[in-house]
Amino acid sequence: MSMNKIKAFVTAVEYGSLTKAAEKLDYTQPSISHMISSLEDDFGFSLLIRGKSGVIPTDNGLALLPAMQDLLKRSQLLKELVNEINGMEIGTIRIGAYTSVCVHWMPTVLSLFNTKYPKIHIQLYEGNSQEIKQWLESGKIDFGIGTTQVNQNPHFIPLMQDRMLAILPKEHPLASLDSVPLKAFTTEPCIMPYEDSHHDVQFIFKKEKISPNIAYQIRGDEAIIAMVKNGLGISLLSELLIKEHLTELCARPIEGNYVRSLGILTNAPIQSLSPSSKKFIPFLQEWVLSNY
């Protein structure tokens, strides 16, 4: 069974397009189409439904997809173990991370890591908590960098505690307080993230039985910050997200001094990850410890 054929099929499903799969894998579109057709011949049934708008898996293709994804992951792990035995630090790491991590951590971390391990390739996916969870479950990423609530992920590796702060326009009356009461969010116009993008914010309000007075609901962090700067309301975000905006808005601790635990999210113990991942995670831990 050809791993290239399997990778062609899995990539086509991931991108919903033979053309995009070809670009990703550095093949021509006809070559990708031929490999998938050959795989269908091997199996004796269709795997893809081809249409003008792209491709989607058939029921049989969808049934086989998790096993194929797992096969590709194990094949990559085998290659890296062989390379490690031969003394070669070669591999690929697929990481899903929050926007705040991608913006504030990864440019520096990846630059330093690449200097030390130039033959380890890193694929970085930016996403929210729900997307990272889905990517872990589907095998699209090796691990995530995000947050988890207690007992949600038994393999969570903490990196740092990130304070949750009320953010306000600079001249807002609440800016004179040392700590913002959570009840203020029930009366002040609030600019809030969608539930699927900031579980940490939703967790606090649900725990305290607070129903914020939502004036605007926005998915993007930068959009929320910009609207607060322009006096359209108040919001609740993490310190890491707003650290570069503190000269243009006001940030105050909230009642209860809530923090979010930021760390590594995996579906399995770290010992089962690839050699490349087991090099990156301690590298990241050391960098965070030195800088926070």
Side-chain angles (χ1 to χ4, degrees), residues 27-54:
Y27 285 102
T28 63
Q29 190 272 343
S31 294
I32 289 290
S33 181
H34 176 74
M35 281 192 283
I36 296 173
S37 294
S38 177
L39 189 63
E40 291 173 324
D41 290 340
D42 292 341
F43 289 163
F45 48 77
S46 296
L47 295 170
L48 284 181
I49 299 172
R50 297 159 172 82
K52 292 182 179 179
S53 59

Side-chain angles (χ1 to χ4, degrees), residues 14-35:
E14 180 181 344
Y15 286 92
S17 165
L18 295 177
T19 301
K20 290 180 180 178
E23 292 172 356
K24 175 67 177 178
L25 300 177
D26 198 23
Y27 285 102
T28 63
Q29 190 272 343
S31 294
I32 289 290
S33 181
H34 176 74
M35 281 192 283

Side-chain angles (χ1 to χ4, degrees), residues 33-152:
S33 181
H34 176 74
M35 281 192 283
I36 296 173
S37 294
S38 177
L39 189 63
E40 291 173 324
D41 290 340
D42 292 341
F43 289 163
F45 48 77
S46 296
L47 295 170
L48 284 181
I49 299 172
R50 297 159 172 82
K52 292 182 179 179
S53 59
V55 296
I56 58 173
T58 62
D59 289 343
N60 288 333
L62 196 59
L64 294 181
L65 184 61
M68 290 189 184
Q69 291 170 327
D70 186 60
L71 191 59
L72 289 175
K73 185 176 180 180
R74 291 179 183 277
S75 175
Q76 179 63 33
L77 176 60
L78 177 61
K79 288 178 183 178
E80 291 195 19
L81 288 171
V82 171
N83 288 333
E84 185 178 45
I85 291 170
N86 287 323
M88 296 183 291
E89 294 171 333
I90 300 173
T92 298
I93 311 172
R94 302 164 303 158
I95 306 170
Y98 284 177
T99 298
S100 53
V101 172
C102 289
V103 171
H104 299 293
W105 289 7
M106 299 312 281
T108 301
V109 171
L110 295 186
S111 177
L112 294 172
F113 188 80
N114 184 62
T115 299
K116 188 172 183 179
Y117 302 104
K119 293 185 178 180
I120 295 180
H121 177 63
I122 294 180
Q123 298 173 354
L124 183 61
Y125 299 86
E126 179 183 344
N128 59 41
S129 54
Q130 187 64 30
E131 288 171 324
I132 290 175
K133 180 182 177 183
Q134 291 171 351
W135 294 339
L136 279 172
E137 290 174 350
S138 69
K140 181 176 180 178
I141 59 175
D142 299 307
F143 60 87
I145 306 174
T147 61
T148 188
Q149 303 303 335
V150 178
N151 298 326
Q152 272 192 346

